[in-house]
């Protein structure tokens, strides 16, 4: 019995109890949310890990990091370091997006080392192997694709981004209406090229029940990949995106009926005035399942700083209902991230999640904010370190300062505004 089946039978699993404790909510809230599809718990039944998380309505927003090899940089040792750095920085999950070298070996290394949930995009491996064995992605067969999905599920992947909400109707719409940035999803481009070359329907859409059978067998959370997401703010909320969202909604309904945990991936580039509408459409059309966003990038013109553009958009998206934020690093649109980029990406996205959690009135989050404010008034550096989202940066900043062990919100000087006022209010 998987999580959603147990929840619908009125049973509380150990995983539900752990998530309820983490989120400081009643376990019945978690059970009901899982039963109705509003909450997912990514945990493949064949793999244990030390850290679980729940994703969905009424919970803290979670943060995902990305690692993986490529044909240009096949360094498993570096990816191992990035994994550890991302965990230390506080991510709740990883996705292994490897497309180069020993993909199976990289996945097994990730699964053996990770303490948090791990996800993948199986069409990447299926496509790369088709190139190696058959000379082109278009030589990939439906069986190749589903065998890769099952292999990765059997290895222990907790969630998978699967680009099943793409069909010929959507591609025809895209061709008729046009876009500035056409198809920017790698998985979406693999499948679009395959479909147009072979003149066959997307096997992940056409054989959706076959996909659901695998997901259910291993209790893998199905993340319906956004194959047609806008790659620029100019394309946000266009006809193709909306049509893709409607198809995704139909598939969500089928997944829930089949007893499969499911969430939806959302677009990358979204101007701030479109964020609320985008979130409302997703929740309405996709039956209120968790929303996993790939951004939102609030502007297109900040290469080198897309961790900031993503954090701005992510905070707005979280405020309006997004449940899971995929990090962006300063290397976005430039190349593969290094170790420092990964740390920066996780911390930036955690800040966005924190801001959104405050707006969502999460009690323990607001309490942490209050504790930091009090610690600053008290010039209690130790308490600030306990509360800070990235204590190490605070430690580094204080080294060599005049009052190294007495830090407030401004400077810690004798004439600090906060301390002068505190004397008259009877605080200091």
């Amino acid at each position: 019995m998987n999580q959603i089946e147990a929840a619908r039978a009125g049973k509380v699993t150990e995983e539900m109890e752990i998530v309820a404790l983490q989120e400081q909510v009643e376990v019945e809230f978690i059970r009901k949310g899982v039963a109705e599809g509003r909450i997912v718990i990514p945990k493949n039944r064949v793999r244990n890990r030390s850290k679980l998380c729940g994703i969905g309505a009424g919970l803290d927003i979670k943060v995902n990091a990305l690692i993986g090899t490529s044909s240009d940089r096949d360094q498993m040792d570096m990816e191992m370091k990035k994994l550890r750095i991302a965990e230390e920085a506080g991510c709740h999950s990883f996705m292994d997006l490897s497309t180069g070298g020993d993909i199976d070996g990289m996945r097994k290394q990730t699964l053996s080392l990770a303490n948090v949930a791990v996800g993948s995009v199986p069409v990447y491996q299926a496509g790369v192997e088709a190139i190696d064995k058959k000379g082109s992605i278009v030589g990939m067969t439906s069986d190749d694709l589903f065998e890769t999905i099952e292999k990765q599920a059997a290895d222990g992947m907790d969630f998978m981004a699967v680009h099943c909400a793409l069909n010929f109707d959507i591609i025809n719409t895209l061709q008729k209406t046009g876009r500035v940035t056409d198809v920017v999803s790698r998985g979406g481009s693999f499948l679009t090229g395959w479909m147009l070359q072979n003149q066959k329907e997307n096997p992940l859409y056409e054989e959706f029940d076959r996909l659901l059978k695998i997901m259910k067998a291993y209790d893998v959370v199905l993340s319906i990949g956004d194959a047609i997401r806008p790659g620029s703010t100019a394309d946000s909320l266009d006809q193709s995106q909306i049509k893709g969202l409607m198809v995704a909604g139909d598939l969500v309904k089928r997944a829930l009926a089949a007893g499969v945990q499911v969430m939806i991936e959302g677009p990358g580039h979204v101007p701030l005035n479109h964020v609320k509408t985008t979130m409302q459409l997703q929740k309405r059309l996709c039956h209120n399942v968790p929303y996993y966003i790939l951004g939102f990038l609030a502007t297109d013109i900040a290469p080198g700083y897309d961790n900031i553009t993503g954090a701005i958009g992510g905070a707005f998206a979280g405020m309006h209902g997004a449940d899971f934020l995929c990090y962006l690093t300063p290397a976005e649109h430039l190349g593969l991230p290094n170790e420092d980029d990964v740390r920066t990406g996780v911390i930036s996205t955690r800040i966005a999640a924190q801001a959104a959690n405050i707006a969502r009135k999460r009690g323990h989050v607001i309490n942490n904010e209050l504790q930091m404010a009090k610690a600053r008034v008290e010039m209690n550096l130790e308490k600030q370190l306990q509360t800070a989202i990235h204590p190490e940066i605070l430690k580094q900043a204080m080294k060599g300062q005049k009052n190294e062990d007495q830090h407030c919100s401004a400077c810690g000087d004798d004439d600090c505004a906060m301390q002068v006022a505190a004397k008259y209010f009877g605080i200091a």
Side-chain angles (χ1 to χ4, degrees), residues 6-7 10-17 27-28 31:
K11 297 181 179 180
V12 172
T13 65
E14 180 182 0
E15 291 80 10
M16 295 175 200
E17 291 177 341
V27 71
E28 175 60 18
R31 186 204 63 78

Side-chain angles (χ1 to χ4, degrees), residues 4 6 19 38 62 74 76 139 147 178 243 249 276 296 303 318 324 326 371-372 376 399:
I4 198 167
V19 170
R38 293 180 292 104
K62 303 305 184 299
D74 173 21
M76 290 174 61
E147 286 169 8
K243 184 162 285 190
K276 184 176 181 179
F296 297 154
F324 195 22
C326 189
Q371 294 308 310
M372 176 60 89
R376 284 172 168 165
K399 286 181 180 178

Side-chain angles (χ1 to χ4, degrees), residues 67 83 94 96 105-114 118:
I67 61 171
L83 183 155
F94 301 100
D96 183 342
M106 177 62 199
R107 179 172 62 257
K108 290 174 182 178
Q109 172 180 278
T110 300
L111 289 168
S112 69
L113 295 174
V118 179

Side-chain angles (χ1 to χ4, degrees), residues 18-223:
I18 292 171
V19 170
L21 186 63
Q22 290 173 344
E23 300 288 340
Q24 301 182 30
V25 298
E26 296 295 326
V27 71
E28 175 60 18
F29 178 84
I30 302 298
R31 186 204 63 78
K32 186 177 181 183
V34 173
E36 295 175 353
R38 293 180 292 104
I39 293 173
V40 298
I41 303 176
K43 182 184 179 299
N44 188 309
R45 60 177 36 160
V46 306
R47 186 175 83 92
N48 292 319
R49 70 200 52 75
S50 60
K51 295 180 182 178
L52 290 173
C53 73
I55 301 168
L59 309 183
D60 288 349
I61 297 167
K62 303 305 184 299
V63 171
N64 181 71
L66 306 175
I67 61 171
T69 60
S70 73
S71 57
D72 294 329
R73 195 166 73 192
D74 173 21
Q75 300 177 28
M76 290 174 61
D77 286 346
M78 175 182 282
E79 300 311 309
M80 177 174 63
K81 292 176 184 176
K82 287 159 63 174
L83 183 155
R84 289 172 175 162
I85 287 169
E87 279 201 4
E88 289 169 1
C91 75
H92 302 94
S93 66
F94 301 100
M95 293 190 79
D96 183 342
L97 307 185
S98 293
T99 57
D102 182 1
I103 296 177
D104 288 336
M106 177 62 199
R107 179 172 62 257
K108 290 174 182 178
Q109 172 180 278
T110 300
L111 289 168
S112 69
L113 295 174
N115 297 303
V116 296
V118 179
S120 66
V121 186
V123 71
Y124 289 0
Q125 182 173 11
V128 168
E129 290 181 348
I131 294 172
D132 291 341
K133 297 174 183 178
K134 303 174 183 180
S136 173
I137 289 173
V138 299
M140 178 179 64
T141 68
S142 173
D143 286 342
D144 292 337
L145 190 47
F146 282 99
E147 286 169 8
T148 300
I149 292 170
E150 182 143 27
K151 175 172 65 174
Q152 294 193 5
D155 280 347
M157 284 295 172
D158 301 299
F159 64 103
M160 290 187 189
V162 184
H163 299 81
C164 40
L166 174 69
N167 58 24
F168 266 118
D169 188 30
I170 294 171
I171 290 176
N172 290 337
T173 297
L174 180 59
Q175 290 175 323
K176 290 177 182 177
T177 58
R179 262 185 175 183
V180 176
T181 52
D182 292 328
V183 180
V184 299
S185 160
R186 179 182 291 179
S189 67
F190 280 11
L191 290 166
T192 298
W194 186 92
M195 291 163 66
L196 292 173
Q197 176 65 31
N198 292 292
Q199 282 301 296
K200 292 182 180 179
E201 187 56 273
N202 176 8
L204 297 171
Y205 173 77
E206 192 170 50
E207 301 178 59
F208 188 63
D209 289 338
R210 184 177 178 183
L211 173 64
L212 293 179
K213 187 176 180 180
I214 298 170
M215 298 291 105
K216 185 173 183 179
Y218 295 93
D219 205 4
V220 176
V221 173
L222 170 61
S223 183

